[in-house]
C-alpha cells in the first residue's frame, strides 16, 4: 500500500470502529463479537504507532467507547470512568507484570476478580443514602439513570455499618442468563403476536444478556425496568477519605455496608497464581448464573496503585484478561429446514453432539441460503461451532481440509419440506418462504396458535401443544372449527410435548381441562372487533394496524370489500399492508371462515359503548401525551381517539399539541419549545372537548 492508500484504510478502520461503538453502547445491538472488535482496535493502535500524526483526539483508541444517550440528564463524573487495558494472551500478562514490577518492585499482591459482562455504573452515596447512579457515558459524563437503578434490589438505598460520609462506588449491572432466556422468549412471543415477520424477529431480539441489560437500563419507564430483574456486583470504592489500605479490604467493607460483592475473587501473590485463577474460571464460568467475559487483575495496595498511576485512558495498575469465545470442532450430519408460522424457512445444521461452553451442542442455526453459501458447506463437513455470546451456537467456519473428496455441496431446497410447494424468495430478502399459507401444516398450526394466544382471542386453556394435538387429530383445521368443538372431543385427548432432552412426553386433557377450554372458547366471543381482526393473522396486520382498520371500516364486510385506495385513506396504511389485506380476503376459504366466525357470534363490527361520548372535534389533530395526569395516560389517549384525534409517540414538526402533565421530561419540553409546538395542560385539553 502506498501512503494515501494506507491513510484511506486507516480512516475507514476508524469510522468502522466508531460505528461498532455506536451499535454496542447506544443501540445495545452489536454486530461483531468482542474479540473481533478488540482485534480491529489493536490494528488501529498499531497503525497509529507508525503514524502518530494521523491520530485524532476522538479516535476510538483515545476515548472510552460509550456515548451519551439523549433522553437522560447528563452528569459529570467526580472521578472519570476509565476503561481497562485488555489482553487475550498470557505473554501480554507477563509483560504487564514485568512493567508493574519494574515500577514498584516485588513487594505487592494482586487481586483477581471476575470481569462481569454487563454495563458499568457509578453510584454516589451521601450520609449512607443513595444519591444518584450514572452510566459510564463517554467516561467524563454519563446518563443519570437513578430511577432505573433504584429498581435493582441488590443495590441498597440506605447503607448499614461504618461507611464514609460521601463516596462513589463502581460496579457492573447485568442480567442473569435464566432471566435473559425467559424475557427473550416472552419478547419473541409478543413480537409474533404483534404480527412481526419471523425474519425480522431475530433482529429485534437481544443477542445476549449484556445487551438486554443495557437496553433495559436505557428505558424511560422505570416500571418496565423493574420487570427486567437486573442485578449488580460492586467492585470499586472511590472516596476522599482513606477508608482502608488495600482493594481487598475495600471489597470486604463495601459488603459490610450492604453492597453485593462477588465471592469469586482472590488475592494472588504472583503471576502464577493469577494464571491459575484465570484457568480455574475458564471452565468454572459456565456454571455461573451470569456471564463473565474474563478476569480483572488489580494491584491490591492503594499506595502502589498511586505510584503506578494512569495513562490518558487506562490505569497502569490493572488489566483485564479476556476469554476468547470457545469453539469446538464437530461433524455435520444433515441440514433440516424448519417452516415457521409465516412460512419463513430456517435451515438448521444437525451436528454430531459436542461439548461446548458447558453444554452439549447438537444443532446450529444456518440462518438462510446466503449463510450456507458463505460457509461453502458440503455434506458431512467438519465444522467449527462457537457460542459468541448468543445462546444458539453458530457455525463459524468449515475445516475444508478434512472434507471427503467425493462430498457433495449442500444445495438449498426448492420445495417446502412440509407441503412440497415451490419456495419463493423476494427480491432483496434473505429468507425463503413457502407461499402455501392456506394448506401448509406448520403455517396452519402456527396461525391457530396465534389466534388463541393472549393478545389475540386469549382463549384460556389452549396452548401451542393442545392446538397442535387438535390439528393432528383432525378436530380443528380452521379458526371456525374451534367454535364447534365439544367437551367429549376434548376430554381425554392425548397431547405430546417435546422435552429439552428431545424425548416426547404424553399427557391427556382431563375433565376440568376440557371444561376450561370450552368456557374459554365461549368467552372469546366477547373479544372486540379490532382484536378479532388482529387474530386472523393477516400478514403485517399487527395490533395497531388492526385497530386502525377496524375503526375506519367499522364492519368486516366493509373491510372485505374495500379497495386498496380506500385503505390508503387510513393513516399509515400503505401499499404493502393493503396488498396483504386484499390477498387475504380474495381467498374464498378465508372469506368463508370469516363468515362462519360471524355465525358463531364473534364480534365482527365495532361495538360502541353508548356511555362514552364520541365526536369529531379533534379530527385531523395530532397529540402527544407526556408526564402524569389526573387520569391514566391510556385513558387520556382513549379520550383523544374517541373524539377523532390521533395519538403519536414522538415529537416532530407535524405534531399539533403536546399535552404536558406532571414530571414530564425536560428534554421533551425543550424540543417541543424549539419546534414551536403548542404545549397545553390537561385542563386546556378538556376545554377543547366541551
Ligand atoms: S475495575 C479503574 N472490575 O470492565 C477500574 N471492571 O474493560 C475500572 N468490569 O469499565 C474497572 N468486571 O465495566 C473492574 N471486576 C471488575 C469488572 C470490571 C467488569 C468492566 C467495567 C470496566 C470494564 C473494563
Amino acid at each position: 500500500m502506498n501512503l494515501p492508500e494506507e491513510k484511506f484504510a486507516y480512516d475507514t478502520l476508524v469510522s468502522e470502529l466508531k460505528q461498532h461503538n455506536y451499535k454496542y453502547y447506544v443501540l445495545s445491538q452489536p454486530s461483531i463479537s468482542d474479540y473481533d472488535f478488540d482485534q480491529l482496535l489493536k490494528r488501529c493502535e498499531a497503525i497509529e504507532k507508525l503514524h502518530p500524526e494521523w491520530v485524532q483526539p476522538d479516535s476510538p483508541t483515545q476515548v472510552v467507547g460509550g456515548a451519551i444517550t439523549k433522553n437522560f440528564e447528563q452528569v459529570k463524573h467526580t472521578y472519570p470512568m476509565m476503561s481497562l487495558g485488555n489482553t487475550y494472551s498470557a505473554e501480554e500478562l507477563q509483560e504487564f507484570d514485568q512493567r508493574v514490577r519494574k515500577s514498584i518492585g516485588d513487594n505487592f499482591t494482586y487481586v483477581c476478580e471476575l470481569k462481569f459482562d454487563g454495563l458499568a455504573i457509578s453510584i454516589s452515596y451521601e450520609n449512607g443514602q443513595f444519591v444518584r447512579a450514572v452510566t459510564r457515558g463517554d467516561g467524563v459524563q454519563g446518563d443519570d439513570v437513578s430511577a432505573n437503578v433504584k429498581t435493582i434490589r441488590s443495590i441498597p438505598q440506605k447503607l448499614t455499618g461504618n461507611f464514609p460520609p460521601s463516596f462513589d462506588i463502581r460496579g457492573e449491572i447485568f442480567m442473569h442468563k435464566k432471566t435473559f432466556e425467559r424475557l427473550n422468549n416472552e419478547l419473541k412471543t409478543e413480537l409474533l403476536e404483534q404480527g412481526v415477520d419471523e425474519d425480522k424477529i431475530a433482529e429485534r431480539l437481544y443477542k445476549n444478556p449484556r445487551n438486554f441489560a443495557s437496553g433495559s437500563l436505557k428505558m424511560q419507564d422505570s416500571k418496565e425496568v423493574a420487570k427486567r430483574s437486573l442485578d449488580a456486583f460492586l467492585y470499586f470504592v472511590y472516596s476522599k477519605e482513606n477508608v482502608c489500605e488495600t482493594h481487598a479490604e475495600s471489597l470486604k467493607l463495601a459488603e459490610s455496608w450492604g453492597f453485593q460483592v462477588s465471592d469469586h475473587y482472590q488475592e494472588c501473590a504472583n503471576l502464577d497464581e493469577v494464571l491459575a485463577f484465570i484457568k480455574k474460571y475458564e471452565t468454572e464460568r459456565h456454571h455461573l448464573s451470569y456471564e463473565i467475559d474474563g478476569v480483572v487483575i488489580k494491584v491490591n495496595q492503594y499506595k502502589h496503585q498511586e505510584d503506578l498511576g494512569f495513562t490518558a485512558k487506562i490505569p497502569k495498575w490493572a488489566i483485564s484478561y479476556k476469554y476468547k469465545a470457545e469453539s469446538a470442532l464437530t461433524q455435520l450430519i444433515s441440514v433440516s429446514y424448519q417452516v415457521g408460522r409465516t412460512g419463513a424457512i430456517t435451515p438448521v445444521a444437525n451436528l454430531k453432539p459436542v461439548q461446548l461452553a458447558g453444554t452439549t451442542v447438537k444443532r446450529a442455526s444456518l440462518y438462510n441460503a446466503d449463510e450456507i453459501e458463505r460457509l461453502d458447506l458440503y455434506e458431512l463437513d467438519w465444522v467449527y461451532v462457537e457460542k459468541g455470546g448468543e445462546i444458539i451456537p453458530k457455525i463459524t467456519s468449515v475445516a475444508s481440509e478434512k472434507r471427503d473428496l467425493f462430498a457433495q455441496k449442500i444445495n438449498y431446497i426448492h420445495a417446502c419440506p412440509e407441503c412440497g410447494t415451490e419456495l419463493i424468495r423476494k427480491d432483496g430478502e434473505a429468507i425463503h418462504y413457502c407461499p402455501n399459507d392456506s394448506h401448509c401444516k406448520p403455517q396452519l398450526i402456527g396461525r391457530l396458535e396465534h389466534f388463541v394466544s393472549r393478545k389475540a382471542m386469549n382463549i384460556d386453556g389452549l396452548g401451542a401443544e393442545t392446538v397442535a394435538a387438535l390439528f393432528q387429530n383432525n378436530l380443528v383445521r380452521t379458526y371456525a372449527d374451534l367454535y364447534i368443538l365439544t367437551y367429549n372431543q376434548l376430554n381425554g385427548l392425548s397431547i405430546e410435548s417435546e422435552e429439552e432432552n428431545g424425548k416426547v412426553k404424553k399427557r391427556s386433557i382431563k375433565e376440568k381441562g376440557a371444561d376450561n377450554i370450552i368456557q374459554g372458547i365461549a368467552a372469546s366471543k366477547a373479544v372486540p372487533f379490532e382484536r378479532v381482526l388482529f387474530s386472523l393473522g393477516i400478514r403485517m396486520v399487527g395490533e395497531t394496524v388492526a385497530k386502525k382498520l377496524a375503526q375506519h371500516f367499522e364492519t368486516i364486510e366493509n373491510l372485505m370489500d374495500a379497495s386498496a385506495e380506500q385503505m390508503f385513506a387510513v393513516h399509515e396504511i400503505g401499499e404493502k399492508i393493503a396488498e396483504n389485506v386484499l390477498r387475504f380476503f380474495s381467498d374464498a376459504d378465508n372469506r368463508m371462515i370469516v363468515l362462519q366466525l360471524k355465525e358463531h357470534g364473534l364480534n365482527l363490527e365495532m361495538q360502541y359503548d353508548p356511555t362514552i361520548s364520541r365526536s369529531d372535534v379533534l379530527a385531523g389533530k395530532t397529540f402527544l401525551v407526556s408526564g402524569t395526569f389526573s387520569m391514566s395516560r391510556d385513558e387520556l389517549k382513549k379520550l383523544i381517539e374517541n373524539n377523532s384525534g390521533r395519538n403519536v409517540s414522538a415529537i416532530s414538526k407535524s405534531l399539533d399539541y403536546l399535552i404536558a402533565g406532571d414530571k414530564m421530561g425536560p428534554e421533551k419540553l425543550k424540543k417541543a419549545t424549539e419546534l414551536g409546538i403548542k404545549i397545553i395542560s390537561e385542563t386546556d385539553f378538556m376545554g377543547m372537548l366541551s
Side-chain angles (χ1 to χ4, degrees):
M1 261 196 280
N2 58 34
L3 203 59
E5 275 171 5
E6 235 176 275
K7 175 76 166 66
F8 181 76
Y10 168 75
D11 289 342
T12 314
L13 185 57
V14 166
S15 70
E16 206 180 316
L17 280 163
K18 283 183 184 167
Q19 272 291 325
H20 286 310
N21 266 335
Y22 181 76
K23 285 188 192 166
Y24 186 91
Y25 287 104
V26 182
L27 304 181
S28 305
Q29 296 281 21
S31 58
I32 61 170
S33 70
D34 284 7
Y35 179 77
D36 290 340
F37 178 85
D38 289 335
Q39 296 307 308
L40 290 179
L41 194 70
K42 285 202 169 138
R43 197 186 309 157
C44 189
E45 275 166 358
I47 303 177
E48 290 181 350
K49 245 192 188 144
L50 292 172
H51 296 284
E53 72 281 8
W54 290 350
V55 185
Q56 296 286 326
D58 68 340
S59 159
T61 61
Q62 305 297 304
V63 293
V64 173
I68 298 155
T69 336
K70 285 198 193 69
N71 307 330
F72 293 98
E73 198 187 328
Q74 300 302 304
V75 177
K76 196 164 183 286
H77 296 298
T78 322
Y79 310 88
M81 271 181 101
M82 299 204 155
S83 107
L84 292 178
N86 68 50
T87 174
Y88 290 86
S89 80
E91 291 75 56
E92 283 182 18
L93 268 189
Q94 203 163 8
E95 287 165 24
F96 167 80
D97 183 56
Q98 278 160 2
R99 281 198 302 275
V100 170
R101 282 176 200 283
K102 209 169 144 197
S103 170
I104 59 169
D106 294 328
N107 194 14
F108 72 95
T109 55
Y110 287 118
V111 171
C112 283
E113 287 166 28
L114 303 183
K115 182 163 158 44
F116 310 105
D117 199 8
L119 44 139
I121 193 81
S122 178
I123 317 176
S124 307
Y125 285 84
E126 304 277 351
N127 302 316
Q129 290 285 352
F130 177 108
V131 176
R132 86 178 64 79
V134 184
T135 63
R136 179 154 75 173
D138 61 4
V140 178
Q141 57 174 5
D143 291 333
D144 182 337
V145 287
S146 304
N148 290 348
V149 169
K150 279 188 187 164
T151 68
I152 303 174
R153 294 218 189 95
S154 52
I155 292 180
Q157 303 288 311
K158 207 170 154 39
L159 305 181
T160 53
N162 198 8
F163 44 80
S166 161
F167 69 95
D168 281 5
I169 190 160
R170 300 267 159 94
E172 202 81 358
I173 292 179
F174 63 91
M175 187 181 271
H176 288 274
K177 290 189 257 191
K178 278 254 150 59
T179 314
F180 167 74
E181 275 172 54
R182 177 170 59 81
L183 293 180
N184 234 15
N185 272 333
E186 284 177 15
L187 182 60
K188 184 170 176 185
T189 314
E190 217 164 278
L191 291 171
L192 272 173
E193 287 176 3
Q194 281 170 15
V196 174
D197 268 2
E198 253 160 291
D199 59 331
K200 299 279 173 328
I201 283 183
E203 292 165 23
R204 299 269 294 268
L205 294 179
Y206 287 97
K207 293 218 166 44
N208 53 48
R210 198 211 85 90
N211 300 141
F212 214 142
S214 146
S216 305
L217 208 62
K218 285 181 194 148
M219 294 203 295
Q220 299 291 318
D221 185 354
S222 303
K223 280 205 285 308
E224 284 302 311
V225 185
K227 293 184 196 153
R228 305 290 181 94
S229 318
L230 299 174
D231 205 348
F233 281 127
L234 284 306
Y235 49 62
F236 209 87
V237 179
Y238 283 92
S239 157
K240 290 204 174 67
E241 280 101 297
N242 263 344
V243 280
C244 56
E245 306 285 312
T246 66
H247 177 64
E249 285 168 73
S250 80
L251 293 179
K252 282 251 163 340
L253 280 173
E255 196 165 16
S256 76
W257 303 335
F259 292 104
Q260 175 162 264
V261 173
S262 160
D263 295 335
H264 301 279
Y265 70 90
Q266 186 185 314
E267 196 174 333
C268 294
N270 52 45
L271 188 66
D272 283 344
E273 289 186 20
V274 168
L275 292 173
F277 184 91
I278 290 175
K279 187 143 190 259
K280 176 173 166 200
Y281 281 97
E282 176 128 41
T283 45
E284 202 106 312
R285 67 185 174 127
H286 303 308
H287 307 301
L288 297 170
S289 69
Y290 44 85
E291 291 198 336
I292 64 165
D293 57 344
V295 166
V296 177
I297 302 118
K298 301 171 184 171
V299 169
N300 189 20
Q301 290 73 20
Y302 286 151
K303 66 172 193 311
H304 289 318
Q305 290 188 2
E306 264 166 48
D307 290 343
L308 283 156
F310 295 85
T311 70
K313 202 181 151 193
I314 51 174
K316 293 189 199 168
W317 44 264
I319 191 166
S320 72
Y321 177 92
K322 292 228 234 170
Y323 294 121
K324 254 196 228 177
E326 268 181 78
S327 75
L329 185 63
T330 186
Q331 199 174 13
L332 177 72
I333 300 171
S334 64
V335 175
S336 44
Y337 298 84
Q338 292 170 350
V339 187
R341 160 163 92 81
T342 57
I345 309 287
T346 313
V348 175
N350 300 304
L351 306 166
K352 207 170 179 179
V354 61
Q355 281 299 114
L356 175 65
T359 52
T360 311
V361 172
K362 286 183 246 165
R363 275 190 284 220
S365 175
L366 285 167
Y367 307 102
N368 52 47
D370 292 346
E371 175 71 1
I372 295 178
E373 201 53 43
R374 186 187 71 80
L375 290 168
D376 192 25
L377 200 58
Y378 280 63
E379 280 171 4
L380 301 180
D381 258 351
W382 285 84
V383 296
Y384 288 99
V385 283
E386 215 174 80
K387 274 197 187 170
E390 287 110 283
I391 299 292
I392 307 160
K394 63 174 182 191
I395 297 179
T396 50
S397 62
V398 173
S400 48
E401 70 282 358
K402 288 172 79 95
R403 178 176 295 156
D404 187 279
L405 203 56
F406 301 104
Q408 297 287 312
K409 207 170 151 66
I410 299 283
N411 283 319
Y412 205 83
I413 49 168
H414 292 292
C416 174
E418 296 280 346
C419 70
T421 306
E422 190 169 340
L423 301 180
I424 53 165
R425 180 178 175 173
K426 292 202 193 113
D427 277 351
E429 284 189 17
I431 302 263
H432 282 77
Y433 280 95
C434 166
N436 180 16
D437 48 8
S438 45
H439 294 99
C440 178
K441 199 166 100 182
Q443 297 190 58
L444 292 175
I445 297 181
R447 278 212 302 281
L448 283 169
E449 277 171 19
H450 166 73
F451 186 83
V452 303
S453 68
R454 195 167 41 88
K455 288 214 167 153
M457 300 302 284
N458 191 20
I459 301 182
D460 227 15
L462 272 186
E465 286 154 3
T466 313
V467 166
L470 290 170
F471 188 91
Q472 305 288 9
N473 286 286
N474 273 322
L475 291 170
V476 174
R477 289 270 142 172
T478 72
Y479 305 145
D481 294 343
L482 283 165
Y483 294 89
I484 48 171
L485 267 181
T486 64
Y487 172 88
N488 284 339
Q489 286 172 324
L490 286 162
N491 190 14
L493 184 76
S494 160
I495 294 171
E496 295 185 347
S497 51
E498 196 179 336
E499 301 206 307
E500 248 178 54
N501 55 18
K503 282 202 190 116
V504 174
K505 210 171 102 179
K506 281 196 177 175
R507 63 185 166 91
S508 63
I509 300 182
K510 305 269 172 345
E511 288 147 7
K512 207 164 158 238
D515 249 345
N516 197 17
I517 296 172
I518 293 289
Q519 278 174 29
I521 293 173
S524 78
K525 293 183 184 174
V527 165
F529 176 39
E530 58 197 54
R531 259 172 57 204
V532 179
L533 184 56
F534 166 63
S535 308
L536 293 179
I538 305 172
R539 252 186 216 168
M540 294 184 77
V541 179
E543 279 175 292
T544 322
V545 172
K547 195 167 166 185
K548 284 183 180 156
L549 290 172
Q551 281 172 349
H552 184 89
F553 290 100
E554 298 193 321
T555 71
I556 196 84
E557 287 83 4
N558 288 347
L559 179 63
M560 276 162 104
D561 297 330
S563 66
E565 285 68 34
Q566 284 170 320
M567 284 186 234
F568 296 157
V570 187
H571 187 76
E572 277 169 10
I573 304 292
E575 229 167 275
K576 280 201 166 164
I577 297 178
E579 190 187 303
N580 279 302
V581 177
L582 284 175
R583 201 166 82 94
F584 184 88
F585 289 118
S586 66
D587 182 306
D589 289 343
N590 287 340
R591 290 179 85 94
M592 188 159 78
I593 292 165
V594 168
L595 293 180
Q596 286 171 342
L597 289 177
K598 192 167 178 181
E599 272 165 25
H600 289 304
L602 274 72
N603 281 321
L604 287 162
E605 57 187 64
M606 289 301 275
Q607 309 284 310
Y608 289 113
D609 181 344
T611 61
I612 294 177
S613 65
R614 288 168 187 279
S615 80
D616 286 333
V617 290
L618 307 178
K621 301 268 185 293
T622 57
F623 294 83
L624 180 84
V625 295
S626 177
T628 57
F629 302 90
S630 69
M631 60 186 110
S632 79
R633 268 203 294 272
D634 280 343
E635 282 168 326
L636 187 53
K637 287 184 184 168
K638 259 248 127 60
L639 266 181
I640 295 172
E641 275 171 17
N642 289 341
N643 292 284
S644 308
R646 192 154 61 77
N647 289 295
V648 297
S649 56
I651 297 186
S652 71
K653 273 207 292 253
S654 62
L655 175 65
D656 295 312
Y657 296 98
L658 172 70
I659 312 182
D662 286 343
K663 298 196 202 123
M664 183 175 92
E667 276 298 319
K668 270 206 184 121
L669 198 59
K670 197 168 141 229
K671 193 161 174 203
T673 317
E674 278 167 13
L675 291 173
I677 283 156
K678 284 191 214 91
I679 301 167
I680 58 171
S681 67
E682 184 180 343
T683 328
D684 297 336
F685 170 75
M686 295 310 282
M688 290 171 80
L689 296 182
S690 55

